[in-house]
Amino acid sequence: MIGLISAALGVAGCLLVGNLLPEPQELRQPLPHNLASSDRQLKTSMGALFGSNYVPGNRVETLVNGVQIFPSMLRAIREARQTISFETYIYWRGAIAEEFANALSIKSQEGLSVKVLLDWAGSLPMDERLIKRMQDAGVEVVRFRPVAWYTIDRVNNRTHRKLLIVDGRVGFTGGVGIADEWKGDARSPNEWRDNHYRVEGPAAAEFQAAFAEHWIEATGELLLGDRFFPEIGPAGDRATQVVISSNLQRNVMHLMLMTALAAAQKNIRIATPYFVPDELTRQQLLEARKRGVDIQIIVPGPQTDARIVRKASRHLWGELLQAGVKISEYQPTFFHCKLVIVDDIWTSVGSTNIDDRALRLNDEANINLFDQKFASTQMALFEKDAAASRPYSFSDWQNRSASEKVSDWVSSLARSQI
């Protein structure tokens, strides 16, 4: 009996260690600057390597803060005619959670197929009463990768995607979760700052495919037919690439980011709530600085939902700041935007942060555009956020107190998991 217990503990220990170890990465050194952002082959290569190709004919609308995001998502739900597919990491409680549950329930009662996929870990704070309400109305509500003995090897691989697909024709992605923290217009610490994106056109099919990949894993049901994948004509003039990471392509987001950073000729703009870059990402940024690339990064300031992340991040800033990378901390509220812009032409937005958890552990979803007009819109938002941020200098970093330096270092030891 003691032997069996010891063996069981040994297996459990191995699984725990396996989950906590950083994921392996394909790259062993920074990518060379072989393809520049101005080289047409870069778009061709990235389209072939990462996710879908660049699908033409889309309309992409930028939604700023909950005041724009939630009404647009709810309007799409209320206008749905056949199917609603909704996948999210965060669905908590409060007025907006109630509103979404009600809207989804009504559409299900009208006879639509309404499927809701909630990450098991991210939705733990959710009011279970809302789940029951939706299920009683016929909504298919499923928890993704619940913890059980047969899923323990994947307990560290969550879905962090934020996807809403309506009638297979309109898709939403970005950073927002379903919680009152995102309501409003970032006017106070109670109203978080975030962007979300509405995509109408052929790229919506790629969103639906991403949802279908997780739905079959969670339920065994394969989504087929024109209800979920209708023929879609052009809705706009944006060529859009949809990139997803999953069990089968765990490092695709990391490779995509390294490729984009290596292509930079003039400037790189990064906005992220969780900036805990691995060694390769830091080296890729430093290589860009050697080429004279101007780099600006916006991260959260004192208002944050994860103090340990802020401290772990700060521990890694020294060589970046010394090399001339400009890092600023957003002041008004918690900053949750996820945005990378290279040379005012290539933009990536979605659910992905700049840390190990996003780049190599979680399942994520982003959209990429080689589009100067779209990049210009995102740059204007970036500059507005930068104006509300406090620059953090190399002398600031050097002059941290001894206790701050120690606590920052200790926090950084957990950087592969936070």
Side-chain angles (χ1 to χ4, degrees), residues 54-95:
Y54 281 82
V55 181
N58 301 287
R59 179 173 182 263
V60 182
E61 180 182 0
T62 303
L63 305 170
V64 181
N65 297 327
V67 69
Q68 293 182 6
I69 296 166
F70 291 137
S72 184
M73 293 175 72
L74 287 164
R75 186 182 311 114
I77 290 171
R78 289 166 181 148
E79 292 176 354
R81 294 294 177 263
Q82 294 195 61
T83 64
I84 299 170
S85 305
F86 185 34
E87 176 177 349
T88 187
Y89 178 70
I90 287 177
Y91 195 133
W92 291 344
R93 61 188 69 210

Side-chain angles (χ1 to χ4, degrees), residues 233-246:
D237 58 359
R238 299 275 184 263
T240 307
Q241 181 186 34
V242 178
V243 183
I244 63 170
S245 59
S246 65

Side-chain angles (χ1 to χ4, degrees), residues 79-153:
E79 292 176 354
R81 294 294 177 263
Q82 294 195 61
T83 64
I84 299 170
S85 305
F86 185 34
E87 176 177 349
T88 187
Y89 178 70
I90 287 177
Y91 195 133
W92 291 344
R93 61 188 69 210
I96 201 65
E98 298 269 355
E99 196 168 353
F100 268 82
N102 290 339
L104 293 165
S105 296
I106 289 170
K107 300 311 289 188
S108 181
Q109 290 171 330
E110 291 176 0
L112 278 69
S113 168
V114 182
K115 302 179 186 296
V116 176
L117 191 59
L118 307 173
D119 184 74
W120 178 85
S123 65
L124 279 176
M126 185 177 183
D127 188 339
E128 293 294 325
R129 180 178 51 85
L130 297 178
I131 293 180
K132 185 177 187 305
R133 180 189 307 171
M134 287 190 283
Q135 289 176 332
D136 287 348
V139 178
E140 297 176 80
V141 183
V142 178
R143 283 286 191 14
F144 187 70
R145 292 180 188 157
V147 173
W149 67 268
Y150 53 85
T151 63
I152 198 70
D153 61 324

Side-chain angles (χ1 to χ4, degrees), residues 9 42 55 57 123 162 187 189 283 334 359 376 394:
L9 290 173
L42 179 67
V55 181
S123 65
K162 285 88 174 175
R187 294 164 297 189
Q283 290 303 316
F334 179 41
L359 296 175
S376 176
F394 182 58

Side-chain angles (χ1 to χ4, degrees), residues 225-331:
D226 59 7
R227 286 196 310 157
F228 296 101
F229 296 99
E231 292 187 14
I232 308 174
D237 58 359
R238 299 275 184 263
T240 307
Q241 181 186 34
V242 178
V243 183
I244 63 170
S245 59
S246 65
N247 278 341
L248 300 177
Q249 289 187 304
R250 180 62 61 205
N251 288 331
V252 66
M253 292 298 185
H254 188 262
L255 291 170
M256 179 191 76
L257 178 64
M258 297 304 101
T259 303
L261 298 181
Q265 296 172 280
K266 299 178 294 183
N267 55 63
I268 295 169
R269 301 292 182 262
I270 295 174
T272 179
Y274 309 110
F275 181 65
V276 192
D278 64 9
E279 177 65 24
L280 269 176
T281 305
R282 299 197 301 275
Q283 290 303 316
Q284 200 76 66
L285 290 169
L286 291 172
E287 289 296 318
R289 280 297 303 140
K290 291 177 184 177
R291 299 193 301 274
V293 175
D294 181 70
I295 303 174
Q296 294 185 37
I297 301 170
I298 301 175
V299 297
Q303 307 293 335
T304 178
D305 72 335
R307 186 171 172 78
I308 187 175
V309 174
R310 186 181 183 219
K311 296 182 72 61
S313 175
R314 190 168 55 190
H315 175 73
L316 305 171
W317 293 357
E319 60 182 347
L320 297 174
L321 292 167
Q322 193 169 23
V325 174
K326 301 164 188 170
I327 300 176
S328 298
E329 295 183 315
Y330 191 75
Q331 298 297 304

